[in-house]
Amino acid sequence: MLDETQFNNKERFGLIPMCSRFLLASLFAPLLALAADPVAPGSGPDMSAIDQSARPCVDFYQYACGKWIAQHPLPSDRSRYARFTEVSERNDKVLLQILEAAAVVKAGRGVTEQKIGDAFASCMDTATIDQKGIAPLKPELERIGAVSDHAGIFDETVRLHRLGVSVFFMFDSQADFKNSNRTVANIQQGGLSLPDREYYLKTDPKSVEIRQHYGEHVAKMLQLAGEPAEAAKAHAQMVLDLETILANNSTDRVSMRAPLKRYHMMTRAELSELVHFDWDGYFKAMGAPAFDSLNVSNPDFLKGIAAGIVDQPMEAFRAYMTFHLLRRFGDLLSEPFEKENFDFWQRYLAGTREPRPRAFRCVEAVDRGLGDLLGLKYIDVAFGPDAKTQITDLVNQLDKALGQDIQTLAWMTEDTRKAALVKLAAITNTVGYPKK
């Protein structure tokens, strides 16, 4: 992730990586339409988005995207805007209508409507949220405050991971990179708040400034949670110091893009030899299913942080875990937390001028927490069986056309042709939503 505060206006639109996608979308959309209807009118690129006054061999970006950018100024509640943002916004409006209707308490309201409607209504109830302040997190903060030894750190790490707070490292599941039919347990680097290790390690003036602002933000969040100003400032420095240790041992982003550099299958016994930690107890406490082997994305990260943080004072661990809890749930707390969260992460770091309307932020919150249930209602409203049948037929036609193309490609050898057809037949098309 790049520091969007350092972008110029053109880059701030988030369109440099999207530009080629947009032009491809303009080119392929008519082709997809033709696949469904060979005599469909309006075939070709969307010329209304292309700046034909620009010379494509001099500034292809301006040529491909110039008019679209001019017609779509950056909204004040966005740090980036692209063609797919328009699609997302249309979907958000449909989801908002669904949730507003589901939030109305009435006879005959089903279980799904009750769950998503109540979640949306509670998110919109700012009077109650502001009245409660930090109270919803008090039990968790007290648990962290009671940590006094490494056994306590272990217990609290499990507790926070189960709450979705990724302190120190991350544990999840993923497809086996060498066998996509198999899902494996996976441990990878984590525990940072800033977007990338370089934010902690670079020494240029902008990076130094970001870390200074970040330290001030951490201190403000701790103060809002009840810490005195001086203690909060000292604890903020501890948080930054501990995260810097994690950053120093994290793999750089370029290496992380290479799948084989993130593929280190090992047994649970080998993991225990790599880092002396109660992994069996951790996996059991996390409720993980039984497994004999797992992928460790960054073995050097685990070894490095085990050696680097072991001597940190308990006060630093408590400060670190406290802030990460506040960071994870700050935008769901009362207005002072929400404002401070926005001011640093969105306004300062990303360049967003103002928050999105709360209703749409609550749509996002419900979608994150109850996405499958909300998806069920979305299908009823916006993507019924007829739409799925039509798109499935279109995709099947594309598959058929690809197969015919492979059969006639002069540059393919017979062995390559056979392998390509096997690969084509292995593709599983999932349209709209899963069968189950």
Side-chain angles (χ1 to χ4, degrees):
M1 181 173 178
L2 301 178
D3 177 9
E4 297 191 37
T5 62
Q6 301 180 49
F7 288 179
N8 60 34
N9 285 337
K10 182 185 291 186
E11 292 166 322
R12 281 276 301 281
F13 273 90
L15 286 171
I16 283 183
M18 302 300 295
C19 174
S20 58
R21 293 188 196 178
F22 163 70
L23 189 58
L24 286 172
S26 298
L27 292 168
F28 279 121
L31 296 179
L32 294 176
L34 281 172
D37 181 2
V39 295
S43 302
D46 180 3
M47 301 307 293
S48 67
I50 294 176
D51 181 3
Q52 298 187 66
S53 67
R55 296 172 60 190
C57 292
V58 175
D59 189 346
F60 184 77
Y61 177 90
Q62 180 63 28
Y63 171 77
C65 305
K67 278 194 176 179
W68 190 90
I69 293 174
Q71 295 162 4
H72 297 81
L74 185 65
S76 60
D77 62 351
R78 298 279 187 177
S79 62
R80 56 189 295 136
Y81 198 83
R83 194 66 180 262
F84 291 110
T85 313
E86 294 179 295
V87 177
S88 176
E89 287 183 336
R90 287 198 293 270
N91 282 344
D92 284 348
K93 290 176 182 176
V94 174
L95 295 175
L96 177 59
Q97 292 173 352
I98 292 171
L99 289 171
E100 287 178 334
V104 177
V105 179
K106 58 185 178 182
R109 188 168 64 144
V111 174
T112 296
E113 287 85 358
Q114 179 261 318
K115 289 181 178 180
I116 62 175
D118 287 358
F120 178 75
S122 66
C123 180
M124 292 295 292
D125 186 4
T126 54
T128 300
I129 292 170
D130 288 341
Q131 184 269 324
K132 289 187 175 181
I134 193 64
L137 287 187
K138 270 289 187 184
E140 301 301 331
L141 292 172
E142 290 172 355
R143 284 175 57 96
I144 294 172
V147 170
S148 59
D149 53 27
H150 286 92
I153 294 173
F154 174 89
D155 291 341
E156 196 56 33
T157 297
V158 172
R159 176 77 175 181
L160 291 173
H161 280 194
R162 290 181 66 91
L163 289 172
V165 184
S166 298
V167 290
F168 304 118
F169 62 91
M170 291 189 285
F171 174 60
D172 57 14
S173 60
Q174 67 174 31
D176 187 329
F177 289 164
K178 294 187 177 182
N179 180 4
S180 60
N181 291 319
R182 189 169 78 131
T183 298
V184 297
N186 179 63
I187 291 177
Q188 60 183 312
Q189 66 189 34
L192 301 179
S193 297
L194 292 173
D196 182 77
R197 71 189 293 271
E198 302 303 328
Y199 282 74
Y200 297 88
L201 306 181
K202 290 173 68 174
T203 57
D204 60 280
K206 184 61 180 180
S207 297
V208 172
E209 177 196 290
I210 290 173
R211 287 195 292 273
Q212 178 183 341
H213 280 272
Y214 174 58
E216 293 168 355
H217 165 68
V218 174
K220 289 177 183 177
M221 291 292 283
L222 294 174
Q223 281 185 259
L224 289 172
E227 289 193 11
E230 286 304 311
K233 184 177 179 180
H235 289 159
Q237 186 60 51
M238 291 179 183
V239 172
L240 182 57
D241 290 345
L242 200 154
E243 289 187 356
T244 302
I245 295 173
L246 301 181
N248 267 308
N249 289 282
S250 297
T251 304
D252 66 273
R253 72 178 79 168
V254 175
S255 297
M256 289 292 287
R257 293 179 189 141
L260 291 182
K261 291 185 177 180
R262 294 185 284 117
Y263 188 77
H264 306 91
M265 292 297 298
M266 58 181 66
T267 65
R268 289 168 64 147
E270 289 171 333
L271 174 62
S272 296
E273 291 178 10
L274 178 74
V275 176
H276 296 298
F277 182 74
D278 183 11
W279 292 111
D280 288 340
Y282 172 81
F283 296 137
K284 181 178 180 181
M286 288 294 292
F291 61 89
D292 297 322
S293 61
L294 73 163
N295 180 53
V296 180
S297 294
N298 320 79
D300 290 340
F301 172 78
L302 290 183
K303 289 192 295 184
I305 66 167
I309 68 175
V310 66
D311 294 328
Q312 292 290 304
M314 284 295 139
E315 191 175 6
F317 286 111
R318 290 193 293 267
Y320 170 78
M321 292 188 287
T322 295
F323 173 69
H324 275 255
L325 181 71
L326 296 172
R327 163 93 170 97
R328 170 66 178 81
F329 295 107
D331 60 347
L332 299 176
L333 294 173
S334 57
E335 184 179 9
F337 287 97
E338 185 182 26
K339 182 178 183 303
E340 176 57 34
N341 237 27
F342 175 82
D343 282 345
F344 177 74
W345 297 106
Q346 301 300 320
R347 193 191 308 278
Y348 172 70
L349 206 57
T352 310
R353 286 170 287 168
E354 61 183 43
R356 291 197 74 197
R358 185 170 186 89
F360 289 111
R361 284 182 280 139
C362 288
V363 167
E364 293 174 359
V366 177
D367 197 20
R368 285 196 305 268
L370 298 170
D372 285 346
L373 296 184
L374 183 55
L376 285 173
K377 303 308 296 181
Y378 177 85
I379 289 167
D380 291 342
V381 172
F383 198 78
D386 289 345
K388 182 161 186 173
T389 299
Q390 291 175 26
I391 301 302
T392 300
D393 182 58
L394 171 60
V395 172
N396 289 338
Q397 289 186 52
L398 288 173
D399 276 354
K400 183 178 179 180
L402 283 170
Q404 293 170 346
D405 192 37
I406 290 169
Q407 294 280 15
T408 58
L409 289 174
W411 55 268
M412 274 192 176
T413 65
E414 281 305 308
D415 287 344
T416 302
R417 196 185 318 280
K418 290 177 182 178
L421 290 171
V422 169
K423 182 176 287 189
L424 177 62
I427 294 175
T428 299
N429 295 320
T430 301
V431 176
Y433 50 89
K435 295 176 182 178
K436 181 177 179 181

